[in-house]
Amino acid sequence: MADKLRGSMDASEYKNVVLGLLFLKYVSDSFEEKNEELTQNEWADPEDKDEYLAENIFWVPKEARWTYIKKNAKRPEIGQMIDNAMIAIEKENESLRGVLPKDYARPALDKIRLGETIDLFSFKIGDKKSRSKDMLGRVYEYFLSKFASAEGKNGGEFYTPSSVVKLLVQMLEPYKGRVYDPCCGSGGMFVQSEKFVEEHQGRLGDIAVYGQESNPTTWRLAKMNLAIRGIDGDIGDHNADTFHNDLHKGLKADYILANPPFNISDWGGEKLREDVRWQFGTPPVGNANYAWIQHMISKLAPSGTAGFVLANGSMSTSTASELEIRKNLIEQDLVECIVTLPGQLFYSTQIPVCLWFVTRNKAKNGKKERRKEILFIDARKQGHMSSRTLKEFSTEDINKISEVYHAWCGTNEQEYQDVAGFCKVAKLDEVREHEYILTPGRYVGLEAIEEDSEPFEEKIERLTGELSEQFVKSRKLEDEIRVILEGIGHGV
């Protein structure tokens, strides 16, 4: 589908075209399956809206059903028909009001290609079988990651790589309570939180999700993403800037997961010099990193924990105001854990990044006393290249990092131990000695390297001997290949 549209518009445009059609197909599939079931039942009315709403199925008017759209795919006015379908669905379903894309009729969108793209939707994504496999969720996530990759630098504002989100979720373990993301992008943090609860046999109703997003297109993506998965999330009824128009003023969250935009300089800080959220110091006007940190801390419940992504500079910046804030956070024992990540994890930036965990609850957990301690994890050597330019964490990487954290927290069965070059628990005194710099490399030390006791002369002799053997094997293979080629009349 993306290939079909690629030549005629850039990735940011065809993302909205394809994801809108995908959503339309999904709601239509689930509607038409229920419609068929009701048609077979002589006592039921297949046009009774309540029959659908009772099963969390969106009501789809006749002019918005996929059978109608597909039948008219080759007509020149197909763009207008899709816009009308989106308007009709929004009108009938309050939760989708103002969310769906409605610019398919614009002259710049090639209607022949649009019709051909519709024809490609020959598969089911919204019937019960597909829903049980989260078919649409998987297709949607695939599209979002591909579009983020295609858009490069701009793609990161709506998509955090799923392996980074999984790591955050697995460390925080949001089983029950309020989950908040102040810059929620397309809603990936919420989706992974729900998946986590589901995978651990929890009840999805036990978590409530809250979020906010300033970009209007990305806010719509999030609303569609949550609607598709049946997640009842409160991300506001419009897009809004978290710093200047906080939509969740009274919220106290049990878990906060976030990937704020890095190092924003134009966040309007000059208008917020006396803001009540700046309890640990006033963040600089030229960089929003420490404003994000303090905003999130202001939203934490008395025993809440936040895990978020920040640029590495946040761990060691020495500008007066940021150093002062960091010092106060550390002295008030809010910083729980810092993890440095490898490069190339993000589509949008090559800036090396880290994870911060701040908590209002370092209380004793069983035998674990964690007050006045910070856990440092250096995960820069974890991950594998999933493409030429992009790195990913495997399940093993995620488990390795999260198990160390949980061992230290006392929330798993393992005994925590420092591992040279990977993890170290530092007392606050040690952090003070390092002038409140939180870079894990300063604390974890160097990885223990196995001592090589073989004398240099012997090693060279052994290696050159092995190399000679390989050369002999190579020549033998070369001769055999020549014989085979001569046998088929292609001697070299």
Side-chain angles (χ1 to χ4, degrees), residues 8-114:
S8 57
M9 64 188 79
D10 67 15
S12 59
E13 284 189 82
Y14 65 70
K15 170 177 86 236
N16 299 322
V17 171
V18 175
L19 292 177
L21 289 175
L22 198 62
F23 186 83
L24 196 58
K25 178 76 165 78
Y26 173 84
V27 295
S28 197
D29 277 357
S30 52
F31 176 89
E32 287 177 353
E33 182 182 46
K34 183 67 184 171
N35 186 273
E36 180 63 33
E37 186 189 306
L38 294 172
T39 305
Q40 305 293 336
N41 181 349
E42 59 180 297
W43 308 108
D45 176 7
E47 294 300 316
D48 179 358
K49 189 174 175 179
D50 292 336
E51 293 276 10
Y52 300 85
L53 301 183
E55 291 189 30
N56 281 333
I57 292 169
F58 291 108
W59 170 260
V60 184
K62 284 182 178 166
E63 70 274 22
R65 294 172 196 173
W66 194 259
T67 42
Y68 178 79
I69 300 286
K70 183 143 177 139
K71 195 164 69 183
N72 291 288
K74 296 291 188 282
R75 289 177 62 177
E77 62 270 30
I78 182 60
Q80 190 58 58
M81 292 172 122
I82 294 171
D83 286 349
N84 292 342
M86 298 293 192
I87 292 164
I89 289 173
E90 282 193 8
K91 196 174 167 189
E92 295 289 347
N93 301 278
E94 185 60 38
S95 66
L96 297 174
R97 194 68 51 89
V99 171
L100 305 181
K102 294 176 278 290
D103 54 357
Y104 289 86
R106 67 184 188 275
L109 179 52
D110 183 331
K111 301 306 177 284
I112 293 170
R113 287 192 189 215
L114 179 59

Side-chain angles (χ1 to χ4, degrees), residues 48-234:
D48 179 358
K49 189 174 175 179
D50 292 336
E51 293 276 10
Y52 300 85
L53 301 183
E55 291 189 30
N56 281 333
I57 292 169
F58 291 108
W59 170 260
V60 184
K62 284 182 178 166
E63 70 274 22
R65 294 172 196 173
W66 194 259
T67 42
Y68 178 79
I69 300 286
K70 183 143 177 139
K71 195 164 69 183
N72 291 288
K74 296 291 188 282
R75 289 177 62 177
E77 62 270 30
I78 182 60
Q80 190 58 58
M81 292 172 122
I82 294 171
D83 286 349
N84 292 342
M86 298 293 192
I87 292 164
I89 289 173
E90 282 193 8
K91 196 174 167 189
E92 295 289 347
N93 301 278
E94 185 60 38
S95 66
L96 297 174
R97 194 68 51 89
V99 171
L100 305 181
K102 294 176 278 290
D103 54 357
Y104 289 86
R106 67 184 188 275
L109 179 52
D110 183 331
K111 301 306 177 284
I112 293 170
R113 287 192 189 215
L114 179 59
E116 289 169 348
T117 306
I118 290 165
D119 283 340
L120 290 173
F121 279 93
S122 55
F123 50 92
K124 292 273 188 202
I125 47 175
D127 61 346
K128 274 185 185 142
K129 188 177 174 189
S130 304
R131 290 203 304 273
S132 71
K133 294 179 182 170
D134 191 23
M135 192 67 78
L136 182 61
R138 284 155 60 194
V139 170
Y140 205 77
E141 198 165 283
Y142 170 81
F143 265 129
L144 284 175
S145 69
K146 287 293 173 196
F147 289 131
S149 178
E151 285 186 55
K153 190 163 176 23
N154 299 326
E157 66 186 44
F158 65 83
Y159 186 77
T160 306
S162 62
S163 68
V164 175
V165 181
K166 281 176 188 165
L167 175 59
L168 274 171
V169 169
Q170 199 156 308
M171 289 177 80
L172 282 185
E173 295 193 327
Y175 287 117
K176 196 178 271 194
R178 294 172 296 275
V179 178
Y180 172 61
D181 183 345
C183 40
C184 67
S186 56
M189 301 287 184
F190 305 136
V191 171
Q192 285 297 341
S193 297
E194 291 253 333
K195 275 188 188 165
F196 177 82
V197 173
E198 212 164 27
E199 283 165 11
H200 292 81
Q201 283 76 51
R203 287 188 18 243
L204 290 184
D206 283 350
I207 68 168
V209 301
Y210 300 86
Q212 187 160 339
E213 173 54 45
S214 62
N215 180 303
T217 307
T218 308
W219 175 80
R220 287 189 192 100
L221 278 179
K223 289 285 271 189
M224 284 198 284
N225 200 2
L226 297 184
I228 276 163
R229 297 166 188 276
I231 297 174
D232 187 15
D234 178 358

